[in-house]
Amino acid sequence: SSQPDGAVTVLLGDLWDAFQAYEKQQRQEYYLQYITVKRIERNGINELEVIDGQQRLTTLSILLSVLSASLNEHNISTDKLHYAIRTNFFTGHIYRKENLDELLIKTWDKLIDEDPAYNKQDIFYLFKAVHKIHAFLKSKPKDVVTEFWEYLLQYIKLIVNSVEKHVKSEDVFKNLNSNKIPLTEAELIKGLLITKLGRGEGK
């Protein structure tokens, strides 16, 4: 896959292009690539384990967090993502406005000086993504940023591919990422139809 930093730039660019097309009334809904999940039960709570598409979900959560903080709006992504294998950097620094504002005035060196446990590549990616998204939004007029936020909430759709509980997550990930089962146009159309039916738009 591409470098995380590049992935943020690409996704942000795609979403902004989709928003501008919407503003010109060229199209409305914008579908992100498949996210593959598996329903699991952890400590008596039903959760969705993300098998593929974690980078997209992470970037989207950061974008929604930075947007809602800058506009003083409720952050719908708060506490939705939990990383099983690391300190939850989202809870401590990204989801809540006051924590995010504090993170935005810190340099990477200051952050890891205060907490050396954060000196990991994936935390560095999250830190860079927050700063990159914030800089991107700061360069836009506030009323346009508000419209962008409203557009994201209303028109950005995720197509979710849910696998059965008994299937091993590792096998699904391996198959998805080794081009053994490329997603065909027919499967994508099927996903769109199912999405529309789910919302009662189709017959």
Side-chain angles (χ1 to χ4, degrees), residues 19-37:
F19 165 63
Q20 289 189 307
Y22 161 74
E23 293 274 276
K24 293 179 194 141
Q25 297 179 329
Q26 288 170 339
R27 63 166 186 259
Q28 287 195 332
E29 293 186 336
Y30 181 76
Y31 290 88
L32 289 172
Q33 287 167 292
Y34 269 94
I35 302 273
T36 303
V37 298

Side-chain angles (χ1 to χ4, degrees), residues 135-198:
F136 177 84
L137 296 172
K138 238 175 84 165
S139 70
K140 313 286 178 197
K142 186 137 187 183
D143 58 330
V144 178
V145 171
T146 304
E147 285 166 25
F148 181 50
W149 178 73
E150 287 167 355
Y151 171 74
L152 288 182
L153 295 189
Q154 211 174 341
Y155 293 113
I156 297 299
K157 310 293 180 188
L158 293 169
I159 302 174
V160 179
N161 175 28
S162 185
V163 299
E164 297 298 321
K165 279 184 185 176
H166 65 269
V167 179
K168 272 195 186 160
S169 303
E170 295 79 11
D171 294 346
V172 178
F173 183 80
K174 253 190 322 217
N175 287 338
L176 283 170
N177 289 283
S178 65
N179 299 324
K180 270 192 223 160
I181 43 170
L183 294 166
T184 64
E185 206 171 315
E187 284 169 304
L188 191 59
I189 291 165
K190 188 173 122 189
L192 292 173
L193 291 174
I194 290 165
T195 307
K196 284 185 182 293
L197 281 171

Side-chain angles (χ1 to χ4, degrees), residues 105-128:
I105 55 171
K106 278 183 188 159
T107 61
W108 172 249
D109 288 343
K110 184 158 172 43
L111 180 76
I112 59 170
D113 189 45
E114 287 172 7
D115 195 337
Y118 285 148
N119 197 2
K120 295 189 177 83
Q121 194 173 3
D122 51 357
I123 301 288
F124 179 66
Y125 157 59
L126 297 178
F127 178 86
K128 289 276 287 184

Side-chain angles (χ1 to χ4, degrees), residues 1 3 18 51-52 56 60-61 64 67 70 89 91 112 122 125 132 136 141-142 147 150 153 162 169 181 189 201:
S1 77
Q3 286 300 307
I51 299 169
D52 199 50
R56 245 164 297 136
L60 210 48
S61 295
L64 288 169
L67 269 168
S70 68
F89 193 73
T91 304
I112 59 170
D122 51 357
Y125 157 59
K132 185 177 275 274
F136 177 84
K142 186 137 187 183
E147 285 166 25
E150 287 167 355
L153 295 189
S162 185
S169 303
I181 43 170
I189 291 165
E201 290 175 12

